[in-house]
Amino acid sequence: MSDIVTGAARIPAPLERLSAIASDYDVLLCDVWGVVHNGVAAFAEACDALARFRAQGGAVVLITNAPRPSAWVVRMLDKLNVPRNVFDDIVSSGDVTRGVIASRAQERVFHLGPPRDKPLFEGMTPRFGTAETADYVVCSGLFDDETETAETYRPMLERMRARDLLMVCANPDIVVERGDRLIYCAGAIADLYAELGGRVLYAGKPHRPIYETALGKAVAKRGASAALSRVLAIGDSVRTDFSGAKAFGVDCLFVTGGIHAEELGSRDDPDPDALALIFAASGGAPRAVMTRLVW
């Protein structure tokens, strides 16, 4: 099937199966939430596709903006019944954040996020402070993502900005799927803080360090080629997955049935014009587009 050409941009025709392009790649850097699971249940077809790619000799590293250590992510995947043969390794934005925390061991940190994100600090002995006494902030999410938005935090952020505190954003996602709903993430707070003039260090996608770490793990685990031309990034977010892949210099397989599904009009049959518009705004197009990951 030929590409779809609209008034906004040229986008690739929908790809039915990953197997059609799998031989072009040695490494998959695959997003987790929205591609492998939706926060409630694993996607069996996606898990099967990744396992089959590995069975043919490819390396799969899951790359996630989860604000927790990768070991915690593995335990969560176990609970969602994601088989271990789906991936070789995992890199999380929490891993990158922990590196920043370790480098600031003598400074006081204010943790802006829910108690469930405390594993971010496991095995470390940071000095905690409040928004009024800390030297920097680690934002892992909203205290209550069921009822709050970034605007809830505007007064706090204005006080932090007045003190010129650096914010380390442990999850650059703005929203994520939880079942059939979208909930706000740390990225929404960090973006508002940046709009107020605050300094923000984004620890995960779309920024380069997390991709470099993931590719290094693929090479170490499977002896995979480190050639960027043989790497495919898979994800469902234009802001993090597509933009991150483009900036890192690798191809992207974009899954439309994730966080952009409502914006695109349908989870199973996205509108080509709407799809073209979101890619035109991001200044490019992915290698391939699928409604969901299938082998």
Coordinates of all heavy atoms in Angstrom, one line a residue, residues 25 38 72 76 109 152 162 197 204 211 251 255 267 277:
Y25 N 16.2 -4.4 11.2 CA 16.7 -3.9 12.5 C 17.3 -5.0 13.3 O 16.9 -6.2 13.3 CB 15.5 -3.2 13.2 CG 14.9 -2.1 12.5 CD1 13.7 -2.3 11.7 CD2 15.5 -0.9 12.4 CE1 13.2 -1.3 11.0 CE2 15.0 0.2 11.6 CZ 13.8 0.0 10.9 OH 13.3 1.0 10.2
N38 N -1.5 -1.2 29.2 CA -2.2 0.1 29.4 C -2.4 0.5 30.9 O -3.2 1.3 31.3 CB -3.6 0.1 28.8 CG -4.5 -1.0 29.4 OD1 -4.1 -1.7 30.4 ND2 -5.8 -1.1 28.9
W72 N 12.0 -2.1 39.7 CA 10.6 -2.0 40.1 C 9.7 -2.2 38.9 O 8.6 -2.8 39.0 CB 10.4 -0.6 40.7 CG 9.0 -0.4 41.3 CD1 8.6 -0.5 42.6 CD2 7.8 0.0 40.5 NE1 7.2 -0.2 42.7 CE2 6.7 0.1 41.5 CE3 7.6 0.3 39.2 CZ2 5.5 0.4 41.1 CZ3 6.3 0.6 38.8 CH2 5.2 0.7 39.7
M76 N 6.5 -4.7 38.3 CA 5.2 -4.3 37.8 C 4.7 -5.1 36.5 O 3.6 -5.5 36.4 CB 5.2 -2.8 37.5 CG 3.8 -2.3 37.0 SD 4.0 -0.6 36.3 CE 4.9 -0.9 34.8
V109 N 16.7 17.5 49.1 CA 15.7 17.4 47.9 C 14.3 17.4 48.4 O 14.0 16.8 49.5 CB 16.0 16.0 47.2 CG1 16.0 14.8 48.1 CG2 15.1 15.9 46.0
T152 N -3.1 22.8 39.7 CA -3.2 22.7 41.2 C -2.0 23.1 41.9 O -2.0 23.6 43.0 CB -3.5 21.2 41.6 OG1 -4.7 20.7 40.8 CG2 -3.8 21.0 43.1
A162 N 10.6 31.4 42.7 CA 11.2 32.5 43.4 C 12.5 32.2 44.0 O 13.4 33.0 44.2 CB 10.2 33.0 44.4
G197 N 9.3 30.0 34.1 CA 10.7 30.4 34.1 C 11.6 29.6 34.9 O 12.8 29.9 35.1
G204 N 14.0 11.6 31.2 CA 13.7 10.5 30.3 C 13.5 10.9 28.9 O 14.1 11.9 28.4
Y211 N 18.3 7.1 25.8 CA 18.5 6.3 24.6 C 19.9 5.8 24.5 O 20.1 4.6 24.1 CB 18.2 7.2 23.3 CG 16.7 7.5 23.2 CD1 16.2 8.7 23.7 CD2 15.9 6.6 22.5 CE1 14.9 9.0 23.5 CE2 14.5 6.9 22.4 CZ 14.0 8.1 22.9 OH 12.7 8.4 22.8
D251 N 15.0 5.3 13.5 CA 13.7 5.2 12.9 C 12.6 5.0 14.0 O 13.0 4.5 15.1 CB 13.5 4.0 12.0 CG 14.3 4.2 10.6 OD1 14.6 5.4 10.3 OD2 14.5 3.2 9.9
V255 N 2.7 3.8 17.3 CA 1.5 3.1 17.6 C 0.4 4.1 17.9 O 0.5 4.9 18.8 CB 1.7 2.2 18.8 CG1 0.4 1.5 19.2 CG2 2.8 1.2 18.5
R267 N -9.5 4.5 17.9 CA -8.4 3.6 18.3 C -8.0 2.6 17.3 O -6.9 2.2 17.1 CB -8.8 2.9 19.7 CG -7.6 2.2 20.3 CD -8.0 1.7 21.7 NE -8.4 2.8 22.6 CZ -7.5 3.5 23.3 NH1 -6.2 3.2 23.3 NH2 -7.9 4.5 24.1
L277 N -1.4 15.8 10.7 CA -1.3 17.1 11.4 C -0.3 17.0 12.6 O 0.5 17.9 12.8 CB -2.6 17.6 11.8 CG -3.5 18.2 10.7 CD1 -4.9 18.5 11.2 CD2 -2.8 19.5 10.2

